[in-house]
Amino acid sequence: MDNGSYMLTRKCVLQEYEKMVKICCIGAGYVGGPTMAVIALKCPAVEVVVVDISVPRITAWNSEHLPIYEPGLDDVVKQCRGKNLFFSTDVEKHVREADIVFVSVNTPTKTRGLGAGKAADLTYWESAARMIADVSKSDKIVVEKSTVPVKTAEAIEKILTHNSKGIKFQILSNPEFLAEGTAIQDLFKPDRVLIGGRETSGGQKAIKTLKDVYAQWVPEENIITTNLWSAELSKLAANAFLAQRISSVNAMSALCEATGANVTQVAYAVGKDKRIGARFLNASVGFGGSCFQKDILSLVYICECNGLPEVAEYWKQVIKINDYQKTRFVNRVVASMFNTVSNKKIAILGFAFKKDTGDTRETPAIDVCKGLLGDQAVLSIYDPQVTEDQIQRDLSMKKFDWDHPLHLQPMSPTTVKQVGVVWSAYEATKDAHAVCILTEWDEFKTLDYQRIYDNMQKPAFVFDGRNVVDGEKLREIGFIVYSIGKPLDAWIKDMPALA
């Protein structure tokens, strides 16, 4: 589409929105908050209300200190808040008044019952659907924004239909494809917007309504429409493919260490193949975040339920390699330090699952820290965006507890006594025996490592789980250095880690 045609299309769309469309989003988290803020910014004729039952979270969205850190988010919210973007705890009122209701609630992995450890728990989704049916007085479009298993829309549709009281609901799937740290830019210029709906006249009309919202800033060729099931499965498939790439390069990193190859060089050579590309080929201590593991587990469960055990087993391996990489890192640390870290201070630089976010969900740092604590290490943790309370919660909660709403998580997690949280990398590393770099924050590349070395116990170790430091320069200073997938120091070769 040329620029003139695009502007004409956009003008027509704007004319259709002279009557203010009302959007309500249930869930003020990492997806709902930023997505609705950008819709409000790009669609001034649309009223957007983000609702959540968590009073502290909504209070934070209405304050100068937003509840999540995302580059560019503050500016977007400040431009729209109080104009056509609102945050409220009055869930029922705004759902009742909305034309379009996005549902962006938690879909944690089940911890008990049928499918425990793999299947998605749709308790919060079902509760939201029943509430929508109960309070609605007019026809609505209900949009799945949470990542959900295939056929969830069908289940939600049944709940709404059987409780409709004559009101018509159309269900759409509109999965998010945001990368934390670049979410605002991803929303401004998305690779694609995917909308799935029923192949009926009502379903197609609902698809057009939502498409018209996005068309106010997204070129039409980037808006893909499918049936419901394809949209739901596309999200799971996208995350599975991305996680698979990370596990593939991490598997190669172990082989590189065993053979003396350099995983960075191997990944570069592989990535130059246009059929493969260079994205997501950085070896690391493992992947994290709210989606990858959860979505693959859900995919595994769906495959098993549909009689596809070989396919399920294939995707399980992606998670197994990720777990192996974290365990391998811990074993390397312990083995290199005379096979014990008991009562030794270890500095942990970075706790978020990636740079430019404060999100710690499924961060590999949790398993690495727990592994070191299991050998009685004393940890001093520094991350520029993660609070002490969050770190203590993460290290004391059970697996999958993080994905439940905050008010349903343990209220007063037990403080891990062997863990200290500080607000400087230099404080974290003072008198430490070793430094573990677990998040690729840019500031870790430019620290004064001579100063750090001078204030550490000797021998001083650096275990770089993100390949962010120059190993040779650190060796010149006097450090013993381990970098994921890089040729091993003689010292580390002499103290092999057991699998």
Side-chain angles (χ1 to χ4, degrees):
M1 180 187 295
D2 61 35
N3 191 54
S5 299
Y6 173 64
M7 293 304 295
L8 181 62
T9 300
R10 187 173 185 275
K11 182 179 179 182
C12 293
V13 169
L14 285 171
Q15 287 173 347
E16 287 187 28
Y17 276 81
E18 288 178 356
K19 172 185 176 294
M20 181 171 276
V21 172
K22 292 188 176 183
I23 290 177
C24 176
C25 176
I26 304 173
Y30 282 92
V31 174
T35 302
M36 294 302 115
V38 170
I39 287 177
L41 179 70
K42 298 294 187 179
C43 307
V46 175
E47 179 185 281
V48 180
V49 183
V50 184
V51 297
D52 201 295
I53 60 175
S54 171
V55 174
R57 173 162 285 188
I58 292 299
T59 300
W61 278 110
N62 284 315
S63 74
E64 293 301 306
H65 303 286
L66 303 185
I68 62 175
Y69 172 72
E70 187 66 45
L73 178 60
D74 273 21
D75 291 339
V76 174
V77 171
K78 286 175 182 175
Q79 287 184 64
C80 303
R81 192 172 55 196
K83 296 175 183 176
N84 68 323
L85 174 65
F86 306 91
F87 298 92
S88 173
T89 55
D90 195 342
V91 180
E92 294 186 1
K93 173 182 182 293
H94 293 292
V95 168
R96 185 182 304 113
E97 294 175 354
D99 303 301
I100 304 172
V101 179
F102 285 81
V103 183
S104 184
V105 297
N106 301 66
T107 52
T109 302
K110 290 184 72 173
T111 56
R112 59 180 66 86
L114 184 65
K118 289 179 286 189
D121 185 345
L122 298 178
T123 300
Y124 306 120
W125 232 113
E126 181 177 342
S127 176
R130 291 185 182 279
M131 181 273 295
I132 292 168
D134 187 52
V135 306
S136 294
K137 305 294 183 185
S138 59
D139 296 351
K140 298 196 188 311
I141 297 170
V142 179
V143 184
E144 291 178 337
K145 202 65 183 169
S146 312
T147 302
V148 293
V150 182
K151 299 289 187 177
T152 297
E154 190 170 57
I156 300 307
E157 192 174 55
K158 288 177 180 176
I159 292 170
L160 292 170
T161 300
H162 283 81
N163 294 275
S164 66
K165 297 170 291 189
I167 293 166
K168 294 180 181 178
F169 296 99
Q170 288 294 333
I171 315 299
L172 299 179
S173 176
N174 176 219
E176 55 84 15
F177 296 100
L178 307 179
E180 288 184 48
T182 60
I184 299 302
Q185 286 306 309
D186 293 343
L187 287 162
F188 281 173
K189 295 182 178 180
D191 293 333
R192 78 289 203 198
V193 171
L194 180 58
I195 304 171
R198 284 286 192 186
E199 294 166 313
T200 62
S201 59
Q204 293 304 299
K205 183 179 178 182
I207 288 174
K208 183 181 184 303
T209 299
L210 185 56
K211 184 178 179 180
D212 287 346
V213 173
Y214 285 111
Q216 294 188 49
W217 81 96
V218 180
E220 187 173 354
E221 60 267 24
N222 288 0
I223 303 175
I224 303 169
T225 60
T226 68
N227 66 33
L228 275 171
W229 327 133
S230 295
E232 289 179 331
L233 184 56
S234 294
K235 170 60 175 180
L236 295 180
N239 279 339
F241 276 48
L242 292 172
Q244 179 195 50
R245 284 176 71 93
I246 297 171
S247 282
S248 293
V249 75
N250 282 343
M252 292 305 301
S253 75
L255 183 58
C256 286
E257 290 172 27
T259 60
N262 184 322
V263 73
T264 302
Q265 295 173 353
V266 171
Y268 179 77
V270 170
K272 292 298 284 184
D273 187 325
K274 292 178 181 178
R275 296 169 300 173
I276 299 172
R279 299 288 299 275
F280 279 75
L281 288 181
N282 295 317
S284 69
V285 68
F287 61 71
S290 64
C291 292
F292 282 1
Q293 176 164 302
K294 181 176 71 172
D295 289 357
I296 292 174
L297 289 171
S298 180
L299 191 61
V300 166
Y301 184 67
I302 292 167
C303 291
E304 290 174 344
C305 290
N306 283 280
L308 301 170
E310 293 84 1
V311 180
E313 197 61 35
Y314 174 82
W315 289 111
K316 281 182 187 176
Q317 295 304 314
V318 175
I319 293 177
K320 286 183 179 179
I321 286 292
N322 196 52
D323 290 340
Y324 165 72
Q325 189 78 339
K326 291 179 284 188
T327 301
R328 198 169 72 81
F329 186 86
V330 172
N331 290 346
R332 182 71 73 186
V333 173
V334 176
S336 301
M337 298 174 68
F338 311 103
N339 215 35
T340 179
V341 292
S342 180
N343 294 316
K344 293 178 181 176
K345 180 181 177 181
I346 297 180
I348 304 295
L349 298 188
F351 199 83
F353 85 92
K354 64 187 286 189
K355 72 174 185 176
D356 293 334
T357 180
D359 194 352
T360 62
R361 294 176 293 179
E362 292 290 354
T363 174
I366 294 174
D367 287 333
V368 170
C369 288
K370 285 183 175 180
L372 295 172
L373 289 169
D375 207 77
Q376 304 302 309
V378 177
L379 305 184
S380 183
I381 303 175
Y382 165 66
D383 188 288
Q385 288 295 333
V386 184
T387 65
E388 179 174 7
D389 177 67
Q390 186 62 54
I391 290 171
Q392 290 287 359
R393 292 177 72 87
D394 287 334
L395 293 178
S396 58
M397 282 194 294
K398 295 178 182 177
K399 195 170 181 65
F400 303 128
D401 275 356
W402 59 267
D403 205 16
H404 290 271
L406 194 61
H407 69 287
L408 294 178
Q409 294 176 10
M411 291 302 292
S412 300
T414 305
T415 300
V416 182
K417 294 179 181 178
Q418 292 165 273
V419 173
V421 179
V422 298
W423 287 102
S424 160
Y426 298 109
E427 187 179 349
T429 55
K430 186 178 181 182
D431 294 322
H433 291 259
V435 177
C436 294
I437 301 174
L438 302 184
T439 310
E440 70 279 21
W441 287 104
D442 290 338
E443 68 179 84
F444 298 155
K445 300 175 184 178
T446 57
L447 293 171
D448 184 345
Y449 282 97
Q450 181 67 60
R451 173 184 169 186
I452 288 172
Y453 179 80
D454 292 342
N455 288 301
M456 286 178 66
Q457 300 289 328
K458 308 298 184 297
F461 297 84
V462 170
F463 299 93
D464 186 359
R466 296 288 181 172
N467 284 337
V468 298
V469 297
D470 186 329
E472 288 308 313
K473 287 185 178 178
L474 266 57
R475 291 183 183 99
E476 290 173 7
I477 291 172
F479 285 104
I480 296 165
V481 181
Y482 166 71
S483 299
I484 289 274
K486 303 288 184 70
L488 301 176
D489 280 12
W491 176 293
I492 294 174
K493 277 185 180 178
D494 291 340
M495 295 186 175
L498 298 175

